[in-house]
Amino acid sequence: MNENHRPSNPYTPQQAKKIVDQLFIKAEQLDDEALGKITRSLLAADETCPQTVHIVFDRAFAGALRHAFRKEPLKSTEQIISIPDILSIGPVESLHTDEGIKNRFCWLQGHLRGDIQEQESEFRSAIQDIKSIPPHLPIILWAGNNAAEQTGLRFATYLLSGQPNEISELNSTKAYESLYRTADHSEEIHILRSSELSPEQLLEFYAHYEPWKWNPARRAAIEQEGESLMYDGSYLRTWEHDELWSSDEDRHDTFIMDCARQLQSAYPGEYYNVLRLIGQVYGELEQYTGDEWIEYRVKELIRYGELASKGDIGDWRKYKIRVIG
């Protein structure tokens, strides 16, 4: 296992001194209430002995990573915080504020299916967990090359602005390519998102792939991008050329219609189940948005008169569509 991640004994005198030093630094910056939160978090850390905090941006991926770390000593030394939301879609403006959070989940409630109230509760809890990370613990941000996770990475880094924690980045896409590309399989290897990886692969990454420890310049740059997101009024973000871009909502509509026409050729003049279209788009779209966003765009295409529907459009299992014209 990487030396940086090897568990050690409970706090040495040097570690204890570092914690006390951090408390004195914080005492000069924060009020009594905020200082109390940090003190309580440090006491809790002493009980559970976490040594590294992992922040991830996908509920399924968090489950896989917890499974990978399910055995001792990693079970005791690795803490996982998950932002369980697809941040490549929907509003993110002022997401660091209560008003911004309410605005996001109000929009999601009105446009996407799913238990939005539960998602909001988990989201708020994750933000609080990130803000409560003890200042002496190193943090690893796991993110693949997709807009959902890269948006999450920037948002989490912005939330950590001003905190002294050491931050490293583990890019799951690059780790996969580095460890599994061989001379016999030299072609480009691509995964769409981190949750495609197995717990066994994640454990191998953590043991053999060195995360990128950010220097102050890299961290400042990502914090700035995270701050810029808080002023972003778009509802769709894409990842291209290793950069995050704001996009128009209808960016993928042409592709969705191409898939719809392709499927329609097998059902000339007839309606077919909308799940067929959503599944095909989901499987072929190079940007990860989640199937809820795809269905939202299908409904918008119905509203625009590009597609016709039959059945209960409120339940994606109960309506069919066909291409108009």
Side-chain angles (χ1 to χ4, degrees):
M1 180 169 289
N2 190 305
E3 291 290 338
N4 293 332
H5 306 142
R6 188 171 292 166
S8 61
N9 295 324
Y11 301 131
T12 65
Q14 292 79 11
Q15 289 173 318
K17 181 181 183 300
K18 183 177 180 181
I19 294 171
V20 173
D21 289 342
Q22 293 293 347
L23 280 173
F24 276 113
I25 293 172
K26 286 296 177 184
E28 297 178 354
Q29 301 173 346
L30 302 174
D31 56 27
D32 290 341
E33 181 181 356
L35 185 59
K37 289 181 180 179
I38 293 176
T39 304
R40 288 191 294 273
S41 70
L42 288 172
L43 291 174
D46 186 49
E47 294 174 358
T48 59
C49 296
Q51 296 177 18
T52 305
V53 178
H54 304 261
I55 303 179
V56 302
F57 311 102
D58 184 293
R59 183 184 285 107
F61 179 63
L65 194 60
R66 289 190 179 96
H67 185 76
F69 293 163
R70 72 190 184 280
K71 296 181 180 179
E72 299 292 351
L74 294 177
K75 182 178 180 180
S76 298
T77 61
E78 314 303 306
Q79 178 185 355
I80 300 170
I81 298 174
S82 170
I83 296 182
D85 200 2
I86 303 175
L87 291 178
S88 57
I89 61 173
V92 295
E93 188 174 6
S94 300
L95 197 55
H96 61 302
T97 68
D98 181 67
E99 181 181 357
I101 295 172
K102 288 180 179 178
N103 179 58
R104 173 175 176 79
F105 286 95
C106 180
W107 188 93
L108 295 179
Q109 182 74 57
H111 295 82
L112 306 184
R113 56 183 162 77
D115 190 342
I116 305 302
Q117 288 186 336
E118 180 181 354
Q119 292 179 34
E120 180 177 353
S121 177
E122 291 181 14
F123 186 84
R124 289 181 180 275
S125 178
I127 289 179
Q128 186 57 48
D129 288 343
I130 290 172
K131 291 181 176 180
S132 300
I133 296 173
H136 67 288
L137 289 181
I139 297 169
I140 297 180
L141 304 173
W142 293 68
N145 286 344
N146 62 75
E149 294 174 71
Q150 290 295 332
T151 302
L153 179 144
R154 283 152 177 77
F155 176 56
T157 305
Y158 179 66
L159 293 176
L160 292 164
S161 298
Q163 298 301 313
N165 305 73
E166 173 190 286
I167 296 181
S168 300
E169 176 185 352
L170 201 158
N171 185 300
S172 56
T173 304
K174 293 180 180 179
Y176 187 88
E177 293 175 351
S178 173
L179 295 178
Y180 294 108
R181 179 179 289 165
T182 66
D184 295 332
H185 299 86
S186 58
E187 70 276 5
E188 182 180 356
I189 303 174
H190 179 69
I191 58 169
L192 187 60
R193 56 187 181 130
S194 296
S195 58
E196 296 176 19
L197 300 166
S198 69
E200 292 73 24
Q201 289 171 323
L202 297 178
L203 195 59
E204 186 174 6
F205 290 177
Y206 196 43
H208 302 295
Y209 186 83
E210 187 71 30
W212 178 13
K213 187 179 295 184
W214 286 355
N215 59 29
R218 169 66 175 176
R219 178 167 178 173
I222 298 298
E223 283 182 5
Q224 180 60 50
E225 291 185 31
E227 182 178 8
S228 296
L229 276 173
M230 300 302 96
Y231 296 94
D232 181 13
S234 70
Y235 290 175
L236 179 66
R237 283 150 292 282
T238 55
W239 181 254
E240 293 182 302
H241 311 298
D242 288 332
E243 292 185 346
L244 193 64
W245 300 85
S246 297
S247 299
D248 294 332
E249 277 189 60
D250 61 359
R251 174 186 172 91
H252 304 128
D253 287 5
T254 299
F255 179 73
I256 293 173
M257 286 302 302
D258 287 343
C259 291
R261 294 187 183 95
Q262 180 182 346
L263 287 168
Q264 191 69 64
S265 64
Y267 305 91
E270 300 178 7
Y271 288 86
Y272 59 88
N273 197 301
V274 70
L275 290 174
R276 290 182 175 273
L277 176 58
I278 294 172
Q280 180 162 329
V281 174
Y282 183 89
E284 297 183 11
L285 190 64
E286 294 184 358
Q287 297 285 337
Y288 175 64
T289 62
D291 51 31
E292 294 93 344
W293 175 267
I294 296 171
E295 189 196 9
Y296 161 59
R297 294 313 308 169
V298 169
K299 288 182 177 179
E300 288 296 282
L301 289 167
I302 293 172
R303 188 168 68 88
Y304 296 156
E306 299 287 333
L307 297 171
S309 66
K310 181 173 67 173
D312 180 8
I313 199 172
D315 186 337
W316 69 332
R317 297 164 299 182
K318 296 181 179 179
Y319 71 97
K320 298 182 178 182
I321 59 169
R322 68 174 176 86
V323 176
I324 295 177

Short mmCIF file of all heavy atoms in Angstrom, two decimals, residues 264-289:
data_model
loop_
_atom_site.label_atom_id
_atom_site.label_comp_id
_atom_site.label_asym_id
_atom_site.label_seq_id
_atom_site.Cartn_x
_atom_site.Cartn_y
_atom_site.Cartn_z
N GLN A 264 -37.41 4.60 -34.36
CA GLN A 264 -38.69 4.69 -35.06
C GLN A 264 -38.71 3.84 -36.32
O GLN A 264 -39.77 3.32 -36.73
CB GLN A 264 -38.99 6.13 -35.42
CG GLN A 264 -40.40 6.38 -35.90
CD GLN A 264 -41.44 6.21 -34.81
OE1 GLN A 264 -41.45 6.95 -33.85
NE2 GLN A 264 -42.33 5.22 -34.97
N SER A 265 -37.55 3.64 -36.92
CA SER A 265 -37.48 2.85 -38.15
C SER A 265 -37.93 1.41 -37.93
O SER A 265 -38.34 0.71 -38.86
CB SER A 265 -36.06 2.87 -38.72
OG SER A 265 -35.14 2.24 -37.83
N ALA A 266 -37.83 0.96 -36.68
CA ALA A 266 -38.28 -0.40 -36.35
C ALA A 266 -39.76 -0.44 -36.01
O ALA A 266 -40.35 -1.52 -35.91
CB ALA A 266 -37.47 -0.96 -35.17
N TYR A 267 -40.38 0.75 -35.85
CA TYR A 267 -41.80 0.85 -35.53
C TYR A 267 -42.45 1.91 -36.43
O TYR A 267 -42.93 2.94 -35.96
CB TYR A 267 -42.00 1.25 -34.06
CG TYR A 267 -41.32 0.35 -33.06
CD1 TYR A 267 -40.02 0.63 -32.62
CD2 TYR A 267 -41.97 -0.77 -32.55
CE1 TYR A 267 -39.39 -0.19 -31.70
CE2 TYR A 267 -41.35 -1.59 -31.61
CZ TYR A 267 -40.05 -1.30 -31.20
OH TYR A 267 -39.44 -2.11 -30.28
N PRO A 268 -42.46 1.67 -37.72
CA PRO A 268 -42.96 2.70 -38.65
C PRO A 268 -44.40 3.12 -38.35
O PRO A 268 -45.31 2.30 -38.35
CB PRO A 268 -42.85 2.01 -40.02
CG PRO A 268 -42.75 0.55 -39.73
CD PRO A 268 -42.07 0.44 -38.41
N GLY A 269 -44.53 4.41 -38.03
CA GLY A 269 -45.86 4.97 -37.76
C GLY A 269 -46.44 4.60 -36.42
O GLY A 269 -47.55 5.02 -36.09
N GLU A 270 -45.72 3.82 -35.62
CA GLU A 270 -46.25 3.34 -34.35
C GLU A 270 -45.55 4.04 -33.17
O GLU A 270 -44.49 4.65 -33.31
CB GLU A 270 -46.04 1.83 -34.22
CG GLU A 270 -46.74 1.01 -35.30
CD GLU A 270 -46.47 -0.47 -35.14
OE1 GLU A 270 -45.85 -0.85 -34.11
OE2 GLU A 270 -46.85 -1.25 -36.04
N TYR A 271 -46.17 3.93 -32.00
CA TYR A 271 -45.56 4.40 -30.76
C TYR A 271 -44.69 3.29 -30.17
O TYR A 271 -45.01 2.10 -30.30
CB TYR A 271 -46.65 4.78 -29.75
CG TYR A 271 -47.39 6.06 -30.08
CD1 TYR A 271 -48.50 6.03 -30.93
CD2 TYR A 271 -46.99 7.28 -29.53
CE1 TYR A 271 -49.18 7.20 -31.24
CE2 TYR A 271 -47.69 8.45 -29.82
CZ TYR A 271 -48.78 8.40 -30.68
OH TYR A 271 -49.45 9.55 -30.97
N TYR A 272 -43.61 3.67 -29.52
CA TYR A 272 -42.80 2.68 -28.82
C TYR A 272 -42.45 3.20 -27.43
O TYR A 272 -42.51 4.40 -27.16
CB TYR A 272 -41.52 2.33 -29.61
CG TYR A 272 -40.59 3.50 -29.90
CD1 TYR A 272 -39.60 3.86 -28.99
CD2 TYR A 272 -40.71 4.22 -31.08
CE1 TYR A 272 -38.75 4.92 -29.25
CE2 TYR A 272 -39.86 5.28 -31.36
CZ TYR A 272 -38.88 5.62 -30.44
OH TYR A 272 -38.04 6.67 -30.70
N ASN A 273 -42.10 2.29 -26.54
CA ASN A 273 -41.88 2.64 -25.13
C ASN A 273 -40.73 3.64 -24.99
O ASN A 273 -39.66 3.45 -25.56
CB ASN A 273 -41.57 1.37 -24.33
CG ASN A 273 -41.72 1.60 -22.84
OD1 ASN A 273 -41.06 2.45 -22.26
ND2 ASN A 273 -42.61 0.83 -22.21
N VAL A 274 -40.96 4.69 -24.22
CA VAL A 274 -39.97 5.74 -24.04
C VAL A 274 -38.69 5.20 -23.41
O VAL A 274 -37.60 5.75 -23.62
CB VAL A 274 -40.55 6.89 -23.20
CG1 VAL A 274 -40.75 6.47 -21.75
CG2 VAL A 274 -39.65 8.13 -23.26
N LEU A 275 -38.80 4.11 -22.64
CA LEU A 275 -37.62 3.53 -22.00
C LEU A 275 -36.59 3.08 -23.03
O LEU A 275 -35.39 3.09 -22.76
CB LEU A 275 -38.01 2.36 -21.10
CG LEU A 275 -38.78 2.72 -19.82
CD1 LEU A 275 -39.22 1.46 -19.10
CD2 LEU A 275 -37.92 3.58 -18.92
N ARG A 276 -37.06 2.67 -24.21
CA ARG A 276 -36.13 2.27 -25.26
C ARG A 276 -35.24 3.44 -25.69
O ARG A 276 -34.03 3.31 -25.85
CB ARG A 276 -36.88 1.72 -26.48
CG ARG A 276 -37.54 0.37 -26.24
CD ARG A 276 -38.22 -0.14 -27.51
NE ARG A 276 -38.75 -1.48 -27.33
CZ ARG A 276 -38.05 -2.59 -27.52
NH1 ARG A 276 -36.78 -2.51 -27.89
NH2 ARG A 276 -38.61 -3.77 -27.34
N LEU A 277 -35.87 4.60 -25.84
CA LEU A 277 -35.11 5.78 -26.24
C LEU A 277 -34.17 6.23 -25.13
O LEU A 277 -32.99 6.51 -25.39
CB LEU A 277 -36.07 6.91 -26.62
CG LEU A 277 -35.42 8.25 -26.98
CD1 LEU A 277 -34.46 8.10 -28.14
CD2 LEU A 277 -36.50 9.29 -27.29
N ILE A 278 -34.68 6.30 -23.91
CA ILE A 278 -33.83 6.74 -22.80
C ILE A 278 -32.64 5.82 -22.64
O ILE A 278 -31.50 6.26 -22.45
CB ILE A 278 -34.66 6.81 -21.50
CG1 ILE A 278 -35.73 7.89 -21.61
CG2 ILE A 278 -33.75 7.07 -20.30
CD1 ILE A 278 -36.71 7.90 -20.45
N GLY A 279 -32.87 4.52 -22.74
CA GLY A 279 -31.79 3.55 -22.60
C GLY A 279 -30.73 3.68 -23.68
O GLY A 279 -29.53 3.61 -23.40
N GLN A 280 -31.17 3.89 -24.93
CA GLN A 280 -30.21 4.02 -26.02
C GLN A 280 -29.37 5.29 -25.86
O GLN A 280 -28.16 5.27 -26.04
CB GLN A 280 -30.91 4.01 -27.37
CG GLN A 280 -29.92 4.15 -28.55
CD GLN A 280 -30.52 3.71 -29.86
OE1 GLN A 280 -31.38 2.83 -29.90
NE2 GLN A 280 -30.06 4.31 -30.95
N VAL A 281 -30.03 6.40 -25.55
CA VAL A 281 -29.30 7.66 -25.38
C VAL A 281 -28.32 7.55 -24.22
O VAL A 281 -27.16 7.95 -24.31
CB VAL A 281 -30.28 8.83 -25.14
CG1 VAL A 281 -29.51 10.10 -24.81
CG2 VAL A 281 -31.15 9.04 -26.37
N TYR A 282 -28.79 6.97 -23.12
CA TYR A 282 -27.94 6.81 -21.93
C TYR A 282 -26.69 5.99 -22.26
O TYR A 282 -25.59 6.29 -21.80
CB TYR A 282 -28.73 6.15 -20.82
CG TYR A 282 -27.99 6.00 -19.51
CD1 TYR A 282 -28.02 7.01 -18.55
CD2 TYR A 282 -27.26 4.84 -19.22
CE1 TYR A 282 -27.34 6.87 -17.35
CE2 TYR A 282 -26.58 4.70 -18.02
CZ TYR A 282 -26.62 5.72 -17.09
OH TYR A 282 -25.93 5.57 -15.91
N GLY A 283 -26.87 4.94 -23.06
CA GLY A 283 -25.76 4.06 -23.38
C GLY A 283 -24.77 4.63 -24.38
O GLY A 283 -23.60 4.23 -24.39
N GLU A 284 -25.21 5.59 -25.20
CA GLU A 284 -24.35 6.09 -26.26
C GLU A 284 -23.86 7.52 -26.05
O GLU A 284 -22.90 7.95 -26.69
CB GLU A 284 -25.08 6.00 -27.60
CG GLU A 284 -25.43 4.57 -28.01
CD GLU A 284 -26.09 4.51 -29.38
OE1 GLU A 284 -26.09 5.54 -30.08
OE2 GLU A 284 -26.61 3.44 -29.73
N LEU A 285 -24.51 8.26 -25.15
CA LEU A 285 -24.12 9.65 -24.92
C LEU A 285 -22.76 9.68 -24.22
O LEU A 285 -22.55 9.01 -23.21
CB LEU A 285 -25.17 10.35 -24.06
CG LEU A 285 -25.05 11.87 -23.93
CD1 LEU A 285 -25.25 12.55 -25.28
CD2 LEU A 285 -26.08 12.38 -22.92
N GLU A 286 -21.84 10.47 -24.75
CA GLU A 286 -20.49 10.51 -24.20
C GLU A 286 -20.39 11.37 -22.94
O GLU A 286 -19.37 11.34 -22.26
CB GLU A 286 -19.51 11.03 -25.26
CG GLU A 286 -19.36 10.07 -26.43
CD GLU A 286 -18.31 10.54 -27.43
OE1 GLU A 286 -17.74 11.64 -27.21
OE2 GLU A 286 -18.04 9.81 -28.39
N GLN A 287 -21.42 12.14 -22.65
CA GLN A 287 -21.45 12.95 -21.43
C GLN A 287 -22.40 12.29 -20.43
O GLN A 287 -23.51 11.89 -20.79
CB GLN A 287 -21.92 14.37 -21.74
CG GLN A 287 -21.01 15.15 -22.66
CD GLN A 287 -19.73 15.61 -21.97
OE1 GLN A 287 -19.67 15.76 -20.75
NE2 GLN A 287 -18.70 15.86 -22.75
N TYR A 288 -21.98 12.20 -19.17
CA TYR A 288 -22.84 11.58 -18.16
C TYR A 288 -23.79 12.62 -17.57
O TYR A 288 -23.35 13.62 -17.00
CB TYR A 288 -22.01 10.95 -17.04
CG TYR A 288 -22.88 10.41 -15.93
CD1 TYR A 288 -23.76 9.37 -16.19
CD2 TYR A 288 -22.83 10.94 -14.66
CE1 TYR A 288 -24.59 8.88 -15.19
CE2 TYR A 288 -23.65 10.45 -13.65
CZ TYR A 288 -24.53 9.41 -13.92
OH TYR A 288 -25.34 8.95 -12.94
N THR A 289 -25.09 12.39 -17.72
CA THR A 289 -26.11 13.29 -17.19
C THR A 289 -27.10 12.58 -16.28
O THR A 289 -27.87 13.24 -15.59
CB THR A 289 -26.91 13.95 -18.33
OG1 THR A 289 -27.59 12.92 -19.06
CG2 THR A 289 -25.99 14.73 -19.27
#
